[in-house]
Amino acid sequence: SDGLQPLKVMSIAYLLPSATDAVVWRGPRKDAMIKQFLSDVIWGDLDYLIVDTPPGTSDEHMTLCEAIIGLNPTGAVVVTTPQDVSTDDVRKELSFCSKLGLRVLGIVENMSGFVCPHCSECTAIFSKGGGKKLAQMYDCPFLGEVPIDPSISLAEDEGRAFVASLQADGNNDSNIGLSAVVRNVL
């Protein structure tokens, strides 16, 4: 065994006739699909249910939280990028979680730099530290920072698990960042 565990994934994209089709639905249909994904997909035993949502505090977020709250979720991991415009949005998401009684497990700073594909140096192309500052401000754990790394998207484009690629190069910023996030969540 390679030590990697299976990952179960569901996406509306799997149900579309073509990869170029757009989903043009209003709230009630989106809400129904969220509920259907949670109730009709045969997930089996899960250690974690990861739901990737767009930024914001929309009806879809409400529907998701209302649907899972009865399952006693451990909490939510909130992701931001370092810029003020992103952390301003995430403040609203933190308030949203608080109002719904959903514990925030911590904050991850995504795109916290850019890893050069030639020299592996990580450069802060936006800014840096917005996620950590936000975590301190809201007294919640800072789970780590993950830079933009072209090797991740290249691995995905080639159908390879990027985690395995990163493990081969244990000292790069992406591996260190992702490892820290996983370790802090577990």
Side-chain angles (χ1 to χ4, degrees):
S1 167
D2 59 8
L4 299 176
Q5 298 298 314
L7 180 66
K8 299 169 184 175
V9 178
M10 184 57 187
S11 171
I12 190 69
Y14 299 149
L15 306 176
L16 299 175
S18 129
T20 60
D21 283 352
V23 177
V24 185
W25 290 350
R26 294 197 184 274
R29 284 198 70 190
K30 290 191 278 186
D31 291 350
M33 183 54 65
I34 291 167
K35 291 175 185 172
Q36 189 171 356
F37 278 178
L38 292 171
S39 63
D40 293 356
V41 173
I42 301 171
W43 295 105
D45 291 333
L46 295 176
D47 292 325
Y48 297 92
L49 174 65
I50 299 171
V51 181
D52 183 13
T53 64
T57 55
S58 66
D59 285 347
E60 293 85 358
H61 294 89
M62 290 277 298
T63 298
L64 175 65
C65 289
E66 288 169 354
I68 65 169
I69 207 75
L71 302 172
N72 298 317
T74 304
V77 172
V78 179
V79 179
T80 187
T81 57
Q83 310 93 310
D84 288 344
V85 69
S86 178
T87 58
D88 288 348
D89 279 345
V90 170
R91 281 187 183 96
K92 294 171 188 155
E93 292 175 29
L94 294 169
S95 172
F96 175 88
C97 289
S98 175
K99 287 179 180 181
L100 292 178
L102 183 61
R103 185 172 80 120
V104 175
L105 300 175
I107 296 175
V108 175
E109 183 176 291
N110 195 21
M111 298 189 217
S112 63
F114 173 77
V115 177
C116 176
H118 305 291
C119 70
S120 297
E121 182 177 327
C122 189
T123 305
I125 57 174
F126 298 120
S127 62
K128 195 167 181 76
K132 187 177 275 188
K133 242 189 307 190
L134 194 60
Q136 290 169 343
M137 189 181 309
Y138 283 84
D139 195 30
C140 67
F142 180 66
L143 301 175
E145 52 193 26
V146 180
I148 300 168
D149 187 339
S151 69
I152 292 174
S153 59
L154 179 62
E156 290 177 0
D157 288 348
E158 294 173 350
R160 295 181 289 117
F162 72 84
V163 174
S165 299
L166 291 177
Q167 287 174 339
D169 182 14
N171 286 332
N172 74 24
D173 288 316
S174 298
N175 188 33
I176 293 166
L178 287 169
S179 295
V181 169
V182 170
R183 193 173 44 257
N184 288 324
V185 169
L186 297 179

